[in-house]
């Protein structure tokens, strides 16, 4: 009797209304048709890989496998900074935080325009707008530059949001009724704070945080780098104001925030040639004028590895099959990743990812 009572109390129903799950299927179909109409090829790459994005704050989920394959090259021995670690981690794979590495390998192998709707995973990310497993739409097109990459993202939002409302008969959200406005990151930051993020010092940024009651960890007083302060103030002061009347696409981030993007000169300083899309104060997409030089990426990975070591984070592989592809020749391209769950949230006017997921982490 007690066992039966316990079974009956276990939750099995989805957190999202069933109608929202039907609307999710509509959005998938519209997104696919947008790229199919432009002759993109839908791809499918591994969600479990020995490659992983090396980011200071993004934590991949490691998976240990029993070895059931024969190595086709000497890749496993070169992955980590020391042979001992490489041997120990030979069978460590990672649930992918993005299909980025594998998709770029396809570009290097000769594919021209590709997209993918895929699950992605990030350790510990569970909150109002985060789930450990989420859905990412990612695309790349050979020959696209910085400007055409931003234009494609703007067209995607305009066309797919219009079609979504037509096919679901939902009243459009206000931000979808206007064209995307492209604004340099520095201008948006300055408009909200009167500080130039490219030229302001750590002292300037900390003084702003103190004067405007922006809370920060005690460790920031001694250890925070300039990018930490920029990210903090942006997330607390700038981002919440973006994208309510129209979608906002920010570009030309500080050069130190380049990740896998190229850098260049603009506004009299070095900038990262990357862009992000915001609606209803929520970040939806992140795109790059893609970095092509493997030696630059290796240097950036070394820098991030040092930061992770100081943070006490787990060591991640320094070498990847993406770097081998870049050594062989990655063609000029622009790529972008859009969070599908968040996109559906802002289309429906909700700020809870549980409203668009069948089974979030605690019910999976």
């Amino acid at each position: 009797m007690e066992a039966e009572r316990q079974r009956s109390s276990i939750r099995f129903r989805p957190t999202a209304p069933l109608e929202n799950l039907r609307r999710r299927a509509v959005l998938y179909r519209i997104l696919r048709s947008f790229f199919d109409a432009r002759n993109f090829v839908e791809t499918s790459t591994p969600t479990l890989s020995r490659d992983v994005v090396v980011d200071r704050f993004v934590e991949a989920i490691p998976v240990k496998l029993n070895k059931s394959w024969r190595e086709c090259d000497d890749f496993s021995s070169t992955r980590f900074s020391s042979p001992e670690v490489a041997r120990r981690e030979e069978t460590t794979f990672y649930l992918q935080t993005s299909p980025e590495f594998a998709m770029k390998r396809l570009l290097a192998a000769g594919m021209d325009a590709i997209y993918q709707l895929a699950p992605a995973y990030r350790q510990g990310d569970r909150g109002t707008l985060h789930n450990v497993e989420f859905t990412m739409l990612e695309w790349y097109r050979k020959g696209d530059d910085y400007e055409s990459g931003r234009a494609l993202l703007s067209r995607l939002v305009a066309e797919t949001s219009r079609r979504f409302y037509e096919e679901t008969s939902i009243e459009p959200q206000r931000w979808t009724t206007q064209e995307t406005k492209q604004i340099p990151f520095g201008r948006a930051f300055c408009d909200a704070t009167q500080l130039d993020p490219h030229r302001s010092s750590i002292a300037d940024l900390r003084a702003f945080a103190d004067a405007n009651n922006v809370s920060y960890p005690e460790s920031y007083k001694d250890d925070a780098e300039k990018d930490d302060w920029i990210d903090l103030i942006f997330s607390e002061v700038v981002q919440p104001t973006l994208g309510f009347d129209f979608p906002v696409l920010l570009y030309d981030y500080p050069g130190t925030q380049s990740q896998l993007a190229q850098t260049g000169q603009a506004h009299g300083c070095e900038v990262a040639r990357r862009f992000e899309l915001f609606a209803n104060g929520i970040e939806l997409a992140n795109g790059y004028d893609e970095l092509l030089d493997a030696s630059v990426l290796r240097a950036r990975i070394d820098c991030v590895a040092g930061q992770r070591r100081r943070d006490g984070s787990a060591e991640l592989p320094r070498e990847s099959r993406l770097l081998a592809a870049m050594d062989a020749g990655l063609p000029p391209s622009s790529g972008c990743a859009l969070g599908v769950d968040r996109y559906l949230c802002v289309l429906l006017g909700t700020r809870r990812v549980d409203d668009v997921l069948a089974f979030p982490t605690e019910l999976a």
Side-chain angles (χ1 to χ4, degrees):
M1 193 71 176
E2 178 62 21
E4 183 178 340
R5 188 194 66 77
Q6 289 179 345
R7 284 196 298 271
S8 66
S9 68
I10 293 174
R11 292 182 58 186
F12 71 92
R13 297 185 181 279
T15 57
L18 297 184
E19 187 57 37
N20 282 356
L21 300 182
R22 297 185 183 99
R23 291 163 175 162
R24 186 183 189 97
V26 171
L27 179 60
Y28 277 28
R29 177 166 45 78
I30 291 169
L31 291 170
R32 284 189 165 103
S33 68
F34 176 88
F35 287 102
D36 293 345
R38 289 162 175 80
N39 297 316
F40 278 69
V41 174
E42 184 172 6
T43 61
S44 180
T45 59
T47 58
L48 193 62
S49 171
R50 282 193 285 185
D51 284 356
V52 64
V53 174
V54 180
D55 186 282
R56 183 179 179 185
F57 299 113
V58 175
E59 295 297 335
I61 300 173
V63 178
K64 276 282 190 181
L65 300 182
N66 292 326
K67 191 167 183 181
S68 57
W69 64 92
R70 174 176 291 182
E71 200 75 23
C72 63
D73 51 30
D74 63 351
F75 173 62
S76 64
S77 66
T78 66
R79 294 170 67 208
F80 287 86
S81 56
S82 76
E84 179 184 350
V85 176
R87 281 193 299 272
R88 187 180 72 232
E89 302 295 340
E90 180 184 7
T91 59
T92 298
F93 286 63
Y94 300 89
L95 290 172
Q96 294 299 283
T97 59
S98 156
E100 177 174 7
F101 276 30
M103 292 183 75
K104 287 180 177 177
R105 287 165 59 186
L106 292 178
L107 282 182
M111 298 197 80
D112 295 326
I114 54 178
Y115 77 95
Q116 185 167 180
L117 266 168
Y121 308 83
R122 295 189 181 179
Q123 184 87 266
D125 277 5
R126 179 66 180 119
T128 305
L129 284 169
H130 295 87
N131 195 55
V132 174
E133 179 180 354
F134 56 101
T135 301
M136 185 170 284
L137 169 66
E138 193 147 338
W139 64 92
Y140 297 88
R141 185 160 60 183
K142 185 172 73 174
D144 275 6
D145 59 16
Y146 194 31
E147 289 71 25
S148 55
R150 302 202 306 263
L152 181 61
L153 175 58
S154 298
R155 285 195 295 272
L156 173 98
V157 171
E159 184 173 318
T160 60
S161 62
R162 175 183 56 78
R163 288 187 56 193
F164 178 80
Y165 292 125
E166 288 175 353
E167 296 191 25
T168 59
S169 301
I170 298 172
E171 184 70 22
Q173 291 288 304
R174 183 177 63 185
W175 65 272
T176 66
T177 63
Q178 302 294 324
E179 291 185 0
T180 298
K181 182 175 289 189
Q182 298 192 29
I183 305 171
F185 177 88
R187 185 194 306 166
F189 196 97
C190 187
D191 287 347
T193 66
Q194 285 70 59
L195 291 173
D196 182 342
H198 302 289
R199 297 176 175 82
S200 295
S201 66
I202 289 177
D204 294 332
L205 296 164
R206 179 179 172 182
F208 175 89
D210 289 335
N212 291 274
N213 298 315
V214 177
S215 61
Y216 51 85
E218 187 69 21
S219 60
Y220 266 45
K221 293 180 179 178
D222 299 314
D223 300 332
E225 300 175 1
K226 180 177 175 180
D227 280 334
D228 297 326
W229 288 103
I230 291 174
D231 290 344
L232 172 71
I233 293 170
F234 179 80
S235 63
E236 294 295 322
V237 178
V238 186
Q239 181 176 325
T241 70
L242 299 175
F244 289 90
D245 296 318
F246 42 78
V248 171
L249 192 157
L250 299 185
Y251 64 98
D252 286 355
Y253 279 65
T256 49
Q257 298 186 8
S258 49
Q259 281 87 12
L260 275 79
Q262 296 195 50
T263 58
Q265 292 293 314
H267 324 292
C269 53
E270 184 180 54
V271 299
R273 292 170 63 85
R274 56 178 284 223
F275 49 93
E276 291 187 327
L277 178 74
F278 298 86
N280 283 359
I282 297 172
E283 179 197 342
L284 298 181
N286 182 29
Y288 300 149
D289 184 7
E290 297 295 343
L291 179 67
L292 306 178
D293 189 333
S295 66
V296 173
L297 181 54
R298 285 189 173 94
R300 292 179 185 175
I301 289 173
D302 284 344
C303 178
V304 172
Q307 292 173 321
R308 289 180 60 86
R309 187 168 55 252
R310 291 190 294 274
D311 293 341
S313 301
E315 182 177 359
L316 295 175
R318 304 286 187 91
E319 284 291 322
S320 66
R321 296 192 189 275
L322 171 62
L323 284 164
M326 293 173 71
D327 285 333
L330 184 65
S333 63
S334 179
C336 190
L338 180 141
V340 176
D341 308 318
R342 289 187 177 189
Y343 188 36
L344 184 54
C345 280
V346 296
L347 287 171
L348 296 176
T350 178
R351 301 185 73 86
R352 294 179 66 252
V353 73
D354 289 18
D355 291 338
V356 300
L357 295 177
F359 305 114
T361 301
E362 59 271 22
L363 292 178

